[in-house]
Amino acid sequence: MMLELINLTKKYGRYTAVDNVSLKVEDGEILGLLGPNGAGKSTTVSMISTTLSPTGGEIRISGKSLHKHPLEIKKIMGIVPQDIALYEPLSARDNLEFFGCLYGLSGKALGRRVDEVLEIIGLQDKQKQDVSQFSGGMKRRVNIGAALMNSPRLLILDEPTVGIDPQSRNHILETVRRLNRERGMTVIYTSHYMEEVEAVCQRAAIMDHGKLIALGTKDELRESLGVLDTLTVDIQPSGQAKAADIENLPGVRRVALEPDRLVILLSPKEGSPIGILDALKQSGLQPTSFKYEEANLEHIFLQVTGKSLRD
Ligand code: ADP
């Protein structure tokens, strides 16, 4: 077990920013921490990175209490905060060297690690340029590089792709996947972009109003929350179809009849698209094509919170 949060709580006066959050992150896992702005993600991450102290609960990393062993635990953690903290007049290479020195590296080992990290963040060509000339995305990559200098086992990224160019965004997503795949790094990836969490993370922890409201793989969340999938069937003309008959088929929750198609909301637990297509044919309808869309994290979020992630 890499990380365990036990009833973690942070209060500001009477306001509770993080409310009794408990979760476990396995070694080698990428966990997405997903939630709208103000949900409590940064506060959670800041407590894990020791920049904020909890008002209640406990954080355990690799089985040890963070409160009791902060220095030992910090050696295995890399933190990429939302705010970029680099030395602008220095080059990318000098910045990485500086952070390497902070972690106690020197001489050849430091040089080697800087080279490795420059390769990981894809900035070997630009290593001599001053960071002040870099785009927001390139600065963010140096920021990630700084967190990698001490070869962490646990990497925590707080909204790493906010406000940066698509190329750097893709590079960051690929870097996270690669660090996990090739080095077995455990990653906590905070974001309010559900596409990113879906693309990168094995499990998602959904937060809202400081509370952890759902946790699991996309399939587990769909299953446990009873989220509905959408089956769209093209039929010409759809006028022959009777909504009431279709609504009686297993798993069907709602049917919309459009001029040349049916849009069916289906509980994947109770019914299957194949079963419905068969039933439609047996009732004399001729489906010409169909599309089946599984509920994504956006739909799941909407269903558990009643609001969109982008609000
Ligand atoms: P997220 O990262 O999900 O956008 P945050 O963890 O930054 O959310 O914030 C959670 C809530 O805590 C927000 O409502 C925010 O206004 C509040 N908050 C954060 N920091 C402070 C603070 N220093 N004092 C009072 N309230 C705060």
Side-chain angles (χ1 to χ4, degrees):
M1 183 77 54
M2 179 53 82
L3 171 75
E4 202 173 354
L5 307 182
I6 308 157
N7 303 121
L8 189 66
T9 299
K10 179 72 187 179
K11 292 188 182 188
Y12 292 108
R14 279 160 56 200
Y15 182 76
T16 308
V18 174
D19 195 355
N20 233 357
V21 168
S22 297
L23 63 85
K24 293 177 182 173
V25 183
E26 296 292 341
D27 241 323
E29 183 180 9
I30 309 182
L31 178 84
L33 192 53
L34 185 68
N37 285 325
K41 306 182 298 295
S42 282
T43 308
T44 304
V45 163
S46 301
M47 289 190 281
I48 301 170
S49 58
T50 72
T51 48
L52 272 181
S53 31
T55 354
E58 199 186 344
I59 300 168
R60 290 177 160 266
I61 292 175
S62 212
K64 294 199 167 109
S65 155
L66 180 60
H67 179 67
K68 291 189 188 136
H69 307 275
L71 296 179
E72 193 181 330
I73 289 175
K74 273 189 192 172
K75 287 192 189 137
I76 65 161
M77 275 205 286
I79 315 284
V80 185
Q82 240 182 67
D83 300 323
I84 291 177
L86 297 170
Y87 296 88
E88 299 256 339
L90 295 184
S91 68
R93 184 170 192 98
D94 289 345
N95 265 281
L96 293 179
E97 276 183 3
F98 173 78
F99 283 98
C101 289
L102 289 184
Y103 294 126
L105 292 172
S106 62
K108 286 207 175 113
L110 175 61
R112 264 200 309 273
R113 186 63 192 153
V114 171
D115 287 335
E116 277 169 19
V117 167
L118 283 166
E119 193 275 322
I120 295 170
I121 60 175
L123 289 177
Q124 299 108 310
D125 299 350
K126 307 224 161 48
Q127 58 174 289
K128 299 259 166 63
Q129 273 182 34
D130 286 357
V131 164
S132 57
Q133 297 166 6
F134 280 6
S135 69
M138 282 154 66
K139 285 182 190 170
R140 177 67 62 173
R141 279 150 71 179
V142 182
N143 221 30
I144 294 174
L148 293 174
M149 281 305 293
N150 71 335
S151 312
R153 285 172 49 210
L154 172 63
L155 181 67
I156 300 174
L157 302 123
D158 193 2
E159 305 251 10
T161 59
V162 166
I164 65 172
D165 57 285
Q167 198 195 343
S168 283
R169 175 178 183 260
N170 289 339
H171 194 279
I172 289 171
L173 296 176
E174 190 40 52
T175 302
V176 169
R177 277 192 287 252
R178 192 179 147 200
L179 289 168
N180 174 258
R181 193 175 57 233
E182 293 176 6
R183 293 161 201 251
M185 204 176 279
T186 309
V187 181
I188 299 190
Y189 190 97
T190 291
S191 179
H192 65 280
Y193 299 123
M194 71 90 196
E195 312 85 15
E196 288 186 2
V197 171
E198 254 189 76
V200 173
C201 305
Q202 287 118 11
R203 286 194 309 156
I206 300 181
M207 284 187 80
D208 194 28
H209 297 301
K211 290 195 167 70
L212 178 67
I213 50 175
L215 175 69
T217 64
K218 190 172 76 168
D219 286 345
E220 285 164 1
L221 292 171
R222 286 168 64 223
E223 176 102 354
S224 66
L225 300 168
V227 183
L228 302 177
D229 296 344
T230 310
L231 174 65
T232 309
V233 190
D234 292 318
I235 289 175
Q236 284 180 340
S238 69
Q240 301 157 328
K242 292 201 181 63
D245 291 346
I246 300 167
E247 268 164 7
N248 284 331
L249 295 173
V252 174
R253 292 293 154 75
R254 217 176 315 144
V255 179
L257 287 181
E258 295 181 4
D260 48 12
R261 60 181 201 164
L262 307 170
V263 181
I264 298 168
L265 288 184
L266 176 68
S267 158
K269 259 185 184 170
E270 294 163 38
S272 75
I274 305 293
I276 291 172
L277 289 167
D278 276 349
L280 291 176
K281 279 190 208 149
Q282 274 167 25
S283 68
L285 295 170
Q286 293 299 325
T288 50
S289 65
F290 73 94
K291 187 167 81 174
Y292 189 59
E293 290 167 284
E294 289 188 343
N296 60 28
L297 284 177
E298 182 82 41
H299 299 133
I300 292 170
F301 187 82
L302 188 67
Q303 183 147 332
V304 287
T305 65
K307 64 186 177 204
S308 161
L309 266 169
R310 280 162 227 286
D311 273 353

